[in-house]
Amino acid sequence: MPISLSQIAQQGAHGASMMPIIQGVGRAAIEISSLLQTAVFKGALGVAGSENIQGEQQQKLDVLSDEIFLEEMKSTGFVCAVGSEEQEELLVINEYASADWVVLVDPLDGSSNLDVDGPVGTIFSVVKRKTDNNERPHVSDTLQSGQQVLAAGYVLYGPATMLVCSVGAGVHGFTYNRASSRFELSHPDMKLPATGGYYSVNEANADKWLNNMGSNLENLKQETGLGMRYVGAMVADIHRTLLKGGVFLYPADSKNKSGKLRLLYEAIPMGFIMEQAGGKAMSDDGMAVLDIEPQALHQRVPVYLGSHSAVDCLLGIK
Ligand code: P6P
């Protein structure tokens, strides 16, 4: 009997309560995967003609994926609000405004890869609301550190569609099986290799990096001899780092003084996955990603995510 997403209900302290939400992510993933594969025939590639809160051109598929994800979170009946990269404000699900859970999401990460048929992904995390259930959910419900995360993970839309997630009891990878129309466990108990792998960074920015990150990276290259791989979609670069080892980094630079990646729906979920898989998730000033107290829904942070040896070598941690 193939082990499917319902197995999550037996994992750790939060598996049972998180399973319906992760199953909702799985349903959204199947719909988004199908949308991506037929987008070119439906005129759904290209820009939507609008910008998101980040001032970035929204792709049509960003908007469509956001709508699909919100609809599936609503259909769980357990989610009161969603904080999305594609929405400036917190999206309250009015029909379930008294529910317990708040979901943070980047519905289609790496969408600049879409017009070159590159891999893209969905990144999510789940926290328990801080407001009382009889109050209206508020953006303050999202401003919780990674230590409060109950579930997190990502979907990778590649040659296969994979859902990699954790409820705090290790990391497990599920691959969508079209024959059975379900996600089936394909990568149980994923652990980051302690050595080897690649460094993964957009080196075109190296001359703008802050905090001596250029010399830090040269030192990492000298000390480890790691090769380099960079897809330009965080989900794909993190997934490879999880499987092969090494480090993914997006440092602060003179253009993005707080880095480019968003704390709540990119750095924290990926940092949670990395730590659950035996890796390390750091930001600047010696801060662990999961210890950062968020101040805003779309806050950005520098990230250094990977094996302990690679992250420590890069950051000069003895
Ligand atoms: P750059 C995609 O736009 C994204 O948010 C992440 O998925 C990815 O890691 C990063 O930006 C790529 O940024 O500046 O290298 O194109």
Side-chain angles (χ1 to χ4, degrees), residues 182-246:
R182 63 175 60 190
F183 280 96
E184 295 178 9
L185 184 65
S186 55
H187 298 65
D189 196 21
M190 298 173 78
K191 291 294 181 203
L192 201 78
T195 58
Y198 302 93
Y199 73 91
S200 185
V201 65
N202 184 341
E203 281 190 275
N205 297 329
D207 60 340
K208 298 193 290 288
W209 289 338
L210 306 180
N211 308 320
N212 295 317
M213 200 45 66
S215 57
N216 286 10
L217 182 64
E218 289 312 311
N219 182 53
L220 176 77
K221 292 179 188 177
Q222 293 301 322
E223 288 208 16
T224 63
L226 290 180
M228 193 280 269
R229 291 285 187 280
Y230 191 69
V231 176
M234 186 185 196
V235 173
D237 286 318
I238 289 293
H239 188 65
R240 183 202 51 253
T241 304
L242 194 54
L243 288 172
K244 303 293 185 185

Coordinates of all heavy atoms in Angstrom, one line a residue, residues 182-246:
R182 N -2.2 10.6 -6.5 CA -1.9 11.0 -5.1 C -0.4 11.2 -5.0 O 0.5 10.7 -5.7 CB -2.4 10.0 -4.2 CG -1.8 8.7 -4.3 CD -2.3 7.7 -3.2 NE -3.7 7.5 -3.3 CZ -4.4 6.9 -2.3 NH1 -3.7 6.4 -1.3 NH2 -5.7 6.7 -2.4
F183 N 0.0 12.0 -3.9 CA 1.4 12.1 -3.5 C 1.8 10.9 -2.7 O 1.1 10.5 -1.8 CB 1.6 13.4 -2.7 CG 1.7 14.6 -3.4 CD1 0.6 15.4 -3.6 CD2 2.9 15.0 -4.0 CE1 0.7 16.6 -4.3 CE2 3.0 16.2 -4.7 CZ 1.9 17.0 -4.9
E184 N 2.9 10.2 -3.1 CA 3.3 9.0 -2.4 C 4.7 9.2 -1.9 O 5.6 9.9 -2.5 CB 3.3 7.8 -3.4 CG 1.9 7.5 -3.8 CD 1.8 6.3 -4.8 OE1 2.9 5.7 -5.0 OE2 0.8 6.1 -5.3
L185 N 5.0 8.7 -0.7 CA 6.3 8.9 0.0 C 7.4 8.3 -0.9 O 7.4 7.1 -1.2 CB 6.2 8.1 1.4 CG 7.5 8.3 2.2 CD1 7.7 9.8 2.7 CD2 7.4 7.4 3.5
S186 N 8.3 9.2 -1.3 CA 9.4 8.7 -2.1 C 10.8 9.0 -1.5 O 11.8 8.4 -1.8 CB 9.4 9.5 -3.4 OG 9.3 10.9 -3.2
H187 N 10.8 9.9 -0.5 CA 12.1 10.3 0.2 C 11.8 10.4 1.7 O 11.7 11.5 2.2 CB 12.6 11.7 -0.4 CG 12.9 11.7 -1.8 ND1 12.0 11.6 -2.8 CD2 14.1 11.9 -2.5 CE1 12.6 11.7 -4.0 NE2 13.9 11.9 -3.8
P188 N 11.8 9.2 2.3 CA 11.5 9.3 3.8 C 12.7 9.8 4.5 O 13.9 9.6 4.1 CB 11.3 7.8 4.1 CG 11.9 7.0 3.0 CD 11.9 7.9 1.8
D189 N 12.4 10.6 5.6 CA 13.4 11.0 6.6 C 14.7 11.6 5.9 O 15.8 11.1 6.0 CB 13.9 9.9 7.5 CG 14.6 10.4 8.7 OD1 14.4 11.6 9.0 OD2 15.4 9.7 9.3
M190 N 14.5 12.7 5.1 CA 15.6 13.3 4.4 C 16.6 14.0 5.3 O 16.2 14.7 6.2 CB 15.0 14.4 3.4 CG 14.0 13.8 2.4 SD 13.2 15.1 1.4 CE 14.5 15.5 0.3
K191 N 17.9 13.7 5.1 CA 18.9 14.3 5.9 C 20.0 14.9 5.0 O 20.4 14.3 4.0 CB 19.6 13.2 6.8 CG 18.7 12.6 7.9 CD 18.4 13.7 8.9 CE 17.6 13.1 10.1 NZ 16.8 14.2 10.7
L192 N 20.4 16.1 5.3 CA 21.4 16.9 4.5 C 22.7 16.2 4.7 O 23.1 15.9 5.8 CB 21.5 18.3 5.1 CG 22.0 19.4 4.2 CD1 20.9 19.8 3.2 CD2 22.4 20.6 5.1
P193 N 23.4 15.9 3.6 CA 24.8 15.3 3.7 C 25.7 16.3 4.5 O 25.6 17.5 4.2 CB 25.2 15.2 2.2 CG 24.0 15.1 1.5 CD 23.0 16.0 2.2
A194 N 26.5 15.8 5.4 CA 27.3 16.7 6.2 C 28.4 17.4 5.4 O 28.9 18.5 5.8 CB 28.0 15.9 7.4
T195 N 28.9 16.7 4.3 CA 30.0 17.3 3.5 C 29.6 17.2 2.0 O 28.6 16.5 1.7 CB 31.3 16.6 3.7 OG1 31.1 15.2 3.4 CG2 31.8 16.7 5.2
G196 N 30.4 17.9 1.2 CA 30.1 17.7 -0.3 C 29.0 18.7 -0.7 O 28.6 19.6 0.0
G197 N 28.6 18.4 -2.0 CA 27.5 19.2 -2.5 C 28.1 20.4 -3.3 O 29.2 20.4 -3.8
Y198 N 27.3 21.5 -3.2 CA 27.6 22.7 -4.0 C 27.4 24.0 -3.2 O 26.6 24.0 -2.3 CB 26.7 22.8 -5.3 CG 26.8 21.6 -6.2 CD1 25.9 20.5 -6.0 CD2 27.7 21.5 -7.2 CE1 25.9 19.4 -6.8 CE2 27.8 20.4 -8.0 CZ 26.9 19.3 -7.8 OH 27.0 18.2 -8.6
Y199 N 28.1 25.1 -3.6 CA 27.6 26.4 -3.1 C 26.7 26.9 -4.2 O 26.9 26.6 -5.4 CB 28.8 27.3 -2.8 CG 29.6 27.9 -4.0 CD1 29.2 29.1 -4.6 CD2 30.7 27.2 -4.5 CE1 29.9 29.6 -5.6 CE2 31.4 27.7 -5.6 CZ 31.0 28.9 -6.2 OH 31.6 29.4 -7.3
S200 N 25.7 27.7 -3.8 CA 24.6 28.1 -4.7 C 24.3 29.6 -4.4 O 23.7 29.9 -3.3 CB 23.4 27.2 -4.5 OG 22.4 27.6 -5.4
V201 N 24.7 30.4 -5.3 CA 24.5 31.9 -5.1 C 24.6 32.6 -6.4 O 25.2 32.1 -7.4 CB 25.6 32.4 -4.2 CG1 27.0 32.3 -4.8 CG2 25.3 33.9 -3.7
N202 N 23.9 33.8 -6.5 CA 24.0 34.6 -7.7 C 25.3 35.4 -7.7 O 25.3 36.5 -7.1 CB 22.8 35.5 -7.9 CG 22.9 36.3 -9.2 OD1 23.9 36.4 -9.8 ND2 21.7 36.8 -9.6
E203 N 26.4 34.9 -8.2 CA 27.7 35.5 -8.0 C 27.8 36.8 -8.8 O 28.8 37.6 -8.6 CB 28.9 34.6 -8.4 CG 29.2 33.6 -7.3 CD 30.5 32.8 -7.6 OE1 30.4 31.7 -8.3 OE2 31.5 33.2 -7.1
A204 N 26.8 37.1 -9.7 CA 26.9 38.4 -10.4 C 26.7 39.6 -9.4 O 27.1 40.7 -9.8 CB 25.7 38.4 -11.4
N205 N 26.2 39.3 -8.2 CA 26.0 40.3 -7.2 C 27.3 40.5 -6.4 O 27.3 41.4 -5.5 CB 24.8 40.0 -6.4 CG 23.5 40.0 -7.1 OD1 23.4 40.7 -8.1 ND2 22.6 39.2 -6.7
A206 N 28.3 39.7 -6.5 CA 29.4 39.6 -5.6 C 30.0 41.0 -5.3 O 30.4 41.3 -4.2 CB 30.5 38.6 -6.1
D207 N 30.2 41.8 -6.3 CA 30.8 43.1 -6.1 C 30.0 44.0 -5.2 O 30.5 45.1 -4.8 CB 31.2 43.8 -7.4 CG 30.0 44.0 -8.3 OD1 28.9 43.4 -8.0 OD2 30.1 44.9 -9.2
K208 N 28.7 43.7 -5.0 CA 27.8 44.6 -4.2 C 27.6 44.0 -2.8 O 26.9 44.6 -2.0 CB 26.5 44.7 -4.9 CG 26.6 45.4 -6.3 CD 25.2 45.8 -6.8 CE 24.3 44.6 -7.2 NZ 24.8 44.0 -8.4
W209 N 28.1 42.7 -2.6 CA 27.8 42.1 -1.3 C 28.3 43.0 -0.1 O 29.4 43.6 -0.2 CB 28.3 40.7 -1.2 CG 27.6 39.8 -2.1 CD1 26.3 39.9 -2.6 CD2 28.1 38.5 -2.6 NE1 26.0 38.8 -3.3 CE2 27.1 37.9 -3.3 CE3 29.3 37.8 -2.4 CZ2 27.2 36.7 -4.0 CZ3 29.5 36.6 -3.1 CH2 28.5 36.0 -3.8
L210 N 27.6 42.9 1.0 CA 28.0 43.6 2.2 C 28.7 42.6 3.2 O 28.7 41.4 2.9 CB 26.8 44.3 2.9 CG 25.9 45.2 2.1 CD1 24.8 45.7 2.9 CD2 26.8 46.3 1.5
N211 N 29.3 43.1 4.2 CA 29.8 42.3 5.3 C 30.9 41.3 4.9 O 30.9 40.2 5.3 CB 28.7 41.5 6.0 CG 27.5 42.4 6.4 OD1 27.8 43.5 6.9 ND2 26.3 42.0 6.2
N212 N 31.7 41.7 3.9 CA 32.9 40.9 3.4 C 32.4 39.5 2.9 O 33.2 38.5 2.9 CB 33.9 40.6 4.6 CG 34.5 41.9 5.0 OD1 34.9 42.7 4.2 ND2 34.6 42.1 6.3
M213 N 31.2 39.4 2.4 CA 30.7 38.1 1.9 C 31.5 37.6 0.7 O 31.6 36.4 0.5 CB 29.2 38.2 1.7 CG 28.5 36.8 1.7 SD 29.0 35.7 3.0 CE 28.3 36.6 4.4
G214 N 32.0 38.6 -0.1 CA 32.8 38.2 -1.2 C 34.1 37.4 -0.8 O 34.3 36.3 -1.3
S215 N 34.8 37.9 0.2 CA 36.0 37.2 0.7 C 35.6 35.9 1.4 O 36.3 34.9 1.3 CB 36.9 38.1 1.5 OG 36.1 38.6 2.6
N216 N 34.5 36.0 2.1 CA 34.0 34.8 2.8 C 33.7 33.6 1.8 O 34.1 32.5 2.0 CB 32.7 35.1 3.6 CG 32.9 35.9 4.8 OD1 34.0 36.4 5.1 ND2 31.9 36.0 5.6
L217 N 33.1 34.0 0.7 CA 32.8 32.9 -0.3 C 34.1 32.4 -0.9 O 34.2 31.2 -1.1 CB 31.9 33.5 -1.4 CG 31.5 32.5 -2.5 CD1 30.7 31.3 -1.9 CD2 30.7 33.1 -3.6
E218 N 35.1 33.3 -1.2 CA 36.3 32.8 -1.8 C 37.0 31.9 -0.8 O 37.5 30.8 -1.2 CB 37.3 34.0 -2.1 CG 36.8 34.9 -3.3 CD 36.5 34.0 -4.5 OE1 37.3 33.1 -4.9 OE2 35.3 34.2 -5.0
N219 N 36.9 32.2 0.5 CA 37.5 31.3 1.5 C 36.8 29.9 1.5 O 37.4 28.9 1.6 CB 37.3 32.0 2.9 CG 37.9 31.1 4.0 OD1 39.1 30.7 3.9 ND2 37.1 30.8 5.0
L220 N 35.4 29.9 1.4 CA 34.7 28.7 1.3 C 35.1 27.8 0.1 O 35.4 26.6 0.2 CB 33.2 29.0 1.2 CG 32.3 27.7 1.0 CD1 32.1 27.0 2.4 CD2 30.9 28.1 0.5
K221 N 35.3 28.5 -1.0 CA 35.7 27.8 -2.2 C 37.1 27.1 -2.0 O 37.3 26.0 -2.3 CB 35.8 28.7 -3.4 CG 34.5 29.3 -3.9 CD 34.8 30.2 -5.1 CE 33.6 31.0 -5.6 NZ 34.0 31.9 -6.7
Q222 N 38.0 27.9 -1.4 CA 39.4 27.4 -1.2 C 39.4 26.3 -0.2 O 40.0 25.2 -0.5 CB 40.3 28.6 -0.6 CG 40.5 29.7 -1.5 CD 41.3 29.3 -2.8 OE1 42.1 28.4 -2.8 NE2 40.8 29.9 -4.0
E223 N 38.6 26.4 0.9 CA 38.7 25.4 1.9 C 37.9 24.1 1.6 O 38.3 23.0 2.0 CB 38.1 26.0 3.2 CG 39.0 27.0 3.9 CD 38.8 27.1 5.4 OE1 38.2 26.1 6.0 OE2 39.2 28.1 6.0
T224 N 36.9 24.2 0.7 CA 36.0 23.0 0.5 C 36.1 22.5 -0.9 O 35.8 21.3 -1.2 CB 34.6 23.4 0.8 OG1 34.2 24.4 -0.2 CG2 34.4 23.9 2.2
G225 N 36.5 23.4 -1.9 CA 36.5 22.9 -3.3 C 35.2 22.6 -3.9 O 35.0 21.9 -4.9
L226 N 34.1 23.1 -3.2 CA 32.7 22.8 -3.7 C 32.5 23.4 -5.1 O 33.0 24.4 -5.4 CB 31.7 23.5 -2.7 CG 31.6 22.9 -1.3 CD1 30.5 23.7 -0.6 CD2 31.2 21.4 -1.4
G227 N 31.8 22.6 -5.9 CA 31.3 23.1 -7.2 C 30.2 24.1 -7.0 O 29.7 24.3 -5.9
M228 N 29.7 24.7 -8.1 CA 28.7 25.7 -8.0 C 27.5 25.3 -8.9 O 27.6 24.8 -9.9 CB 29.2 27.1 -8.5 CG 28.2 28.3 -8.1 SD 26.8 28.5 -9.2 CE 27.5 29.6 -10.4
R229 N 26.3 25.4 -8.3 CA 25.0 25.3 -9.0 C 24.1 26.4 -8.6 O 24.0 26.7 -7.5 CB 24.4 23.9 -8.7 CG 25.1 22.7 -9.2 CD 25.0 22.5 -10.7 NE 25.6 21.2 -11.1 CZ 26.9 21.0 -11.3 NH1 27.7 22.0 -11.1 NH2 27.3 19.8 -11.7
Y230 N 23.4 27.0 -9.6 CA 22.4 28.0 -9.3 C 21.3 28.0 -10.3 O 21.6 28.2 -11.5 CB 23.1 29.4 -9.2 CG 22.2 30.5 -8.6 CD1 21.9 30.5 -7.3 CD2 21.7 31.5 -9.4 CE1 21.1 31.5 -6.7 CE2 20.9 32.5 -8.9 CZ 20.6 32.5 -7.6 OH 19.8 33.5 -7.0
V231 N 20.1 27.8 -9.8 CA 18.9 27.7 -10.7 C 18.2 29.1 -10.8 O 17.6 29.4 -11.8 CB 17.9 26.6 -10.3 CG1 16.7 26.6 -11.1 CG2 18.6 25.2 -10.3
G232 N 18.3 29.8 -9.7 CA 17.5 31.1 -9.7 C 16.1 30.9 -9.2 O 15.4 31.9 -9.2
A233 N 15.8 29.8 -8.7 CA 14.5 29.5 -8.0 C 14.8 28.9 -6.7 O 15.4 27.8 -6.7 CB 13.6 28.6 -8.8
M234 N 14.5 29.6 -5.6 CA 14.9 29.1 -4.3 C 14.6 27.7 -4.0 O 15.4 26.9 -3.5 CB 14.3 30.0 -3.2 CG 14.9 29.7 -1.8 SD 14.0 30.7 -0.6 CE 15.2 30.5 0.8
V235 N 13.3 27.3 -4.4 CA 12.9 25.9 -4.1 C 13.8 24.9 -4.8 O 14.2 23.9 -4.1 CB 11.4 25.7 -4.6 CG1 11.0 24.2 -4.5 CG2 10.5 26.5 -3.8
A236 N 14.2 25.1 -6.0 CA 15.1 24.2 -6.7 C 16.5 24.2 -6.1 O 17.1 23.1 -5.9 CB 15.2 24.5 -8.2
D237 N 17.0 25.3 -5.7 CA 18.3 25.4 -5.2 C 18.4 24.8 -3.8 O 19.4 24.2 -3.4 CB 18.8 26.9 -5.2 CG 19.2 27.3 -6.6 OD1 19.9 26.6 -7.3 OD2 18.9 28.5 -6.9
I238 N 17.3 25.0 -3.0 CA 17.3 24.4 -1.6 C 17.1 22.9 -1.7 O 17.7 22.2 -1.0 CB 16.1 25.1 -0.8 CG1 16.5 26.5 -0.5 CG2 15.8 24.2 0.4 CD1 17.6 26.7 0.5
H239 N 16.2 22.5 -2.7 CA 16.0 21.0 -2.8 C 17.3 20.3 -3.1 O 17.6 19.3 -2.5 CB 14.9 20.8 -3.9 CG 14.5 19.3 -4.0 ND1 13.8 18.7 -2.9 CD2 14.6 18.4 -5.0 CE1 13.5 17.5 -3.3 NE2 14.0 17.3 -4.5
R240 N 18.1 20.9 -4.1 CA 19.4 20.3 -4.4 C 20.3 20.3 -3.2 O 21.0 19.3 -2.9 CB 20.0 21.0 -5.6 CG 21.3 20.3 -6.0 CD 22.2 21.3 -6.8 NE 22.4 22.5 -6.1 CZ 21.8 23.7 -6.4 NH1 21.1 23.7 -7.5 NH2 22.0 24.7 -5.7
T241 N 20.3 21.4 -2.5 CA 21.2 21.5 -1.3 C 20.8 20.4 -0.2 O 21.6 19.7 0.4 CB 21.1 22.9 -0.7 OG1 21.4 23.8 -1.7 CG2 22.1 23.0 0.5
L242 N 19.5 20.2 -0.1 CA 19.0 19.2 0.9 C 19.4 17.8 0.5 O 19.8 17.0 1.3 CB 17.4 19.3 0.9 CG 16.6 18.6 1.9 CD1 17.1 19.1 3.3 CD2 15.1 18.9 1.7
L243 N 19.4 17.5 -0.8 CA 19.8 16.2 -1.3 C 21.3 16.0 -1.4 O 21.8 14.9 -1.2 CB 19.1 15.9 -2.6 CG 17.6 15.7 -2.6 CD1 17.0 15.6 -4.0 CD2 17.2 14.4 -1.8
K244 N 22.0 17.0 -1.9 CA 23.4 16.8 -2.2 C 24.4 17.5 -1.2 O 25.6 17.2 -1.2 CB 23.7 17.5 -3.6 CG 22.8 16.9 -4.7 CD 23.2 15.5 -5.0 CE 22.4 15.0 -6.2 NZ 22.6 13.5 -6.4
G245 N 23.9 18.4 -0.4 CA 24.7 19.1 0.6 C 25.3 20.4 0.0 O 25.0 20.8 -1.1
G246 N 26.0 21.1 0.9 CA 26.6 22.4 0.5 C 25.8 23.5 1.1 O 25.2 23.4 2.2

